[in-house]
Amino acid sequence: MKGLTGRFLIGALILWSAASALAQDAIELRFLCFEDGNECEVYADLLAQFSEINPDIKVAVDVTAEEEVLARLQAAYDADESYDIARAKRGWMPGKYVDLQPLLGEALTANFRPVYFEFLRVLPDDRGIYALPDALGVVAPFVNVSLFEQAGVPLPAEGASWDEWLAALDEVVRATDASYVLAVDNKGHRLVGPAMSLGAAYFDEAGRLTLPDAAGLREFLQILHGLMDEGKTPADTLLGTGKSQDYFVRGETVMYICGSWKVEEVAAQVGDDFEWAIVANPSGPGGGTGLAQLTGLMAFAETDYPKAVGKVFEYLLEPEVSAEFAARTLTIPAREDLAASGIDYQADNSDVAAALNAFAREVPKLQDQAIALDLHPLASVYYEASNALLRAYFAGELTLDEALAGLKARLGGAGE
């Protein structure tokens, strides 16, 4: 018995020593995360579950504000304490990240379209993949369903054209107390989707952001100016002094164009006043597309543990994990398989869950350029120029030709 007890104790000691050695040798990755809601909290929970499966890899999640990401990264680098992983939406730094292709193989290319990866490539022959897309903000119309019901007008079907939608919206206004058919702020990212659906091309054949074909943008701006002249869209939203959301939540406009990031806010402001929904983007020669704003995870080239980072990303790429992240954070997945199949959003308000899934259904219909634009280094230049020049157009200070020429010149000048 003594021999058996001794062998048991020796075996236990060996196991304890092995476990202690593994604990001492465990890798700790540093992850700098920003959040619009609870994304970092959810990541911390998911990565704790990852570490239970992979006890040799721990991930410490540091939370910061979006506008502080670059400063925090630089400070850590200067202190020789670089982060291994970061989450970013702006301030991408091509050439600074680990190529995930050798680590993940087809796991990325099988689930995301190529345009998500092209913007971080430095050389023309570079085929590397330097980011894991984790969420999208998508632009599409909010519609007051109650006004359609009061007017006895059916909602246009998916794939309906801009002409069909404008006719239906006009009919609703004439039959109800609504004041406006459509409200949209004069902000570049909200106008881009309709312009692209009407045929606008923002990139030339060499992939440069030059707005080579502005015909679709011209058409949508003329539509908006005509509605403004007829009193069918609030002028202050186009002049930058009013907010289109205010008109929608008060029930004064039938349609309101904005992004998925506004869903919870709109739901809270509308309450039980009326029924609303997200509808498919109206179609044109370019189909029906909104704009997408991408958030992604990157591994820094300075990391000492690229394989460990690869295991983390591989875990986050599992469909069940990706779906749980979207469900708990109320974000739109960039993965088209998940977006198309629907997410079981953990929202207290069923209207919020329905709206987010409606936005998600728009993801497979996005034009590539609708994804690429917001990722481009000159996106902020385009938006700032668009907001200023188009405000001047709506105010009568510039002709449409002058505004569009100025916008193209601003892009060309910024690229020189």
Side-chain angles (χ1 to χ4, degrees), residues 7 53 57 68 106 115 141 163 193 203 227 241 324 396 403 415:
R7 287 195 297 271
I53 304 168
I57 304 174
E68 296 177 359
E106 296 181 359
V115 68
D163 287 343
F203 294 87
L227 293 175
T241 57
E324 182 179 347

Side-chain angles (χ1 to χ4, degrees), residues 205-406:
E205 293 181 357
R208 297 171 300 192
L209 177 56
T210 60
L211 192 58
D213 186 349
L217 177 59
R218 174 186 294 274
E219 183 175 354
F220 188 60
L221 295 175
Q222 288 174 324
I223 288 171
L224 290 177
H225 205 300
L227 293 175
M228 183 182 69
D229 291 343
E230 296 171 8
K232 295 180 179 181
T233 193
D236 60 350
T237 64
L238 299 177
L239 298 176
T241 57
K243 294 183 178 180
S244 53
Q245 184 171 318
D246 293 341
Y247 288 95
F248 183 73
V249 299
R250 291 195 300 257
E252 296 176 28
T253 185
V254 190
M255 177 182 280
Y256 155 57
I257 298 176
C258 193
S260 54
W261 54 89
K262 285 290 189 177
V263 164
E264 292 179 271
E265 188 175 304
V266 167
Q269 291 177 342
V270 171
D272 297 326
D273 292 348
F274 58 84
E275 182 183 351
W276 59 277
I278 304 302
V279 298
N281 280 289
S283 293
T289 184
L291 181 80
Q293 297 182 331
L294 175 70
T295 303
L297 305 181
M298 295 78 57
F300 287 96
E302 292 84 4
T303 182
D304 293 324
Y305 311 111
K307 290 184 179 179
V309 171
K311 291 190 73 171
V312 170
F313 283 11
E314 186 176 32
Y315 168 77
L316 295 176
L317 266 172
E318 293 178 8
E320 297 81 4
V321 177
S322 296
E324 182 179 347
F325 176 78
R328 293 174 61 183
T329 58
L330 305 185
T331 53
I332 310 302
R335 285 183 58 154
E336 294 188 7
D337 57 339
L338 297 179
S341 62
I343 298 293
D344 185 15
Y345 283 107
Q346 297 180 18
D348 295 332
N349 187 329
S350 59
D351 290 340
V352 169
L356 291 171
N357 269 315
F359 273 111
R361 289 192 292 273
E362 293 299 286
V363 173
K365 296 182 286 184
L366 291 167
Q367 290 185 16
D368 277 0
Q369 64 170 346
I371 297 168
L373 177 58
D374 201 67
L375 298 171
H376 196 278
L378 295 182
S380 60
V381 174
Y382 173 80
Y383 293 148
E384 291 171 7
S386 171
N387 297 347
L389 293 167
L390 299 187
R391 185 212 63 78
Y393 162 64
F394 290 121
E397 298 165 3
L398 293 176
T399 66
L400 183 52
D401 285 341
E402 290 170 337
L404 292 177

Side-chain angles (χ1 to χ4, degrees), residues 10 25 62 67 101 103 113 119 157 159 176 184 188 193 235 286 336 368-369:
I10 292 171
D25 295 336
D62 291 348
E67 61 271 16
Q101 183 89 307
L103 302 174
R113 64 172 92 175
F119 75 104
T176 65
V184 58
E336 294 188 7
D368 277 0
Q369 64 170 346

